Amino acid sequence: MKKKTVLIVDDSAFMRRLLREAVTSIGFVVVGEARNGKIALAKYKELKPNIVTMDVVMEEMNGIEALSRIMGHDPKAKVVMVSSMGQELVVKDAIILGAKGFILKPFNTQQIANALKKL
């Protein structure tokens, strides 16, 4: 069975490292990382990952905008939002735009595993 590939998008290098460790520990392969939505969109088109973990608050292009553009490019994209903002409005916006899940910071490996394995 081919391993699932993941693109990690977060403006914090520390959060990207935590996500990378969590994702690889459950058997997924990290094919790329991006520090903002603009880079994420370009990397999504280039790498065609199975799953994207997308931070909400970032410079240049936030996660909601990037989610919208990725879904516009590929309506079948599997994007999981990752955020420390537990605001229902942001979650609703993300789900309406096509996000397949939501992980709240701070997270643990089990929460990442649960969210990604559902996809």
Side-chain angles (χ1 to χ4, degrees):
M1 195 173 101
K2 206 169 150 236
K3 289 196 174 199
K4 294 270 188 205
T5 57
V6 181
L7 171 63
I8 294 173
V9 185
D10 200 296
D11 57 348
S12 158
F14 176 70
M15 289 310 294
R16 289 196 306 270
R17 187 170 57 92
L18 286 180
L19 278 162
R20 187 182 332 112
E21 287 168 5
V23 165
T24 53
S25 76
I26 58 172
F28 289 70
V29 177
V30 176
V31 289
E33 294 182 15
R35 68 176 186 276
N36 65 46
K38 200 171 171 186
I39 296 167
L41 184 60
K43 288 208 176 197
Y44 183 85
K45 290 174 180 177
E46 174 197 342
L47 302 169
K48 299 174 181 56
N50 299 117
I51 300 170
V52 179
T53 64
M54 180 77 69
D55 187 19
V56 173
V57 180
M58 296 178 290
E59 296 290 315
E60 268 189 82
M61 184 190 292
N62 70 35
I64 298 293
E65 174 72 14
L67 166 68
S68 173
R69 296 216 186 166
I70 286 172
M71 295 310 292
H73 170 74
D74 177 7
K76 292 188 183 95
K78 292 181 174 77
V79 181
V80 176
M81 305 307 287
V82 182
S83 179
S84 52
M85 298 186 317
Q87 300 171 337
E88 276 109 51
L89 199 60
V90 175
V91 178
K92 280 183 188 153
D93 282 352
I95 302 295
I96 289 166
L97 287 169
K100 303 293 186 269
F102 208 91
I103 300 165
L104 215 50
K105 296 176 191 174
F107 51 78
N108 60 41
T109 303
Q110 193 55 54
Q111 288 166 302
I112 300 288
N114 292 345
L116 298 189
K117 286 179 177 173
K118 278 183 196 162
L119 305 177

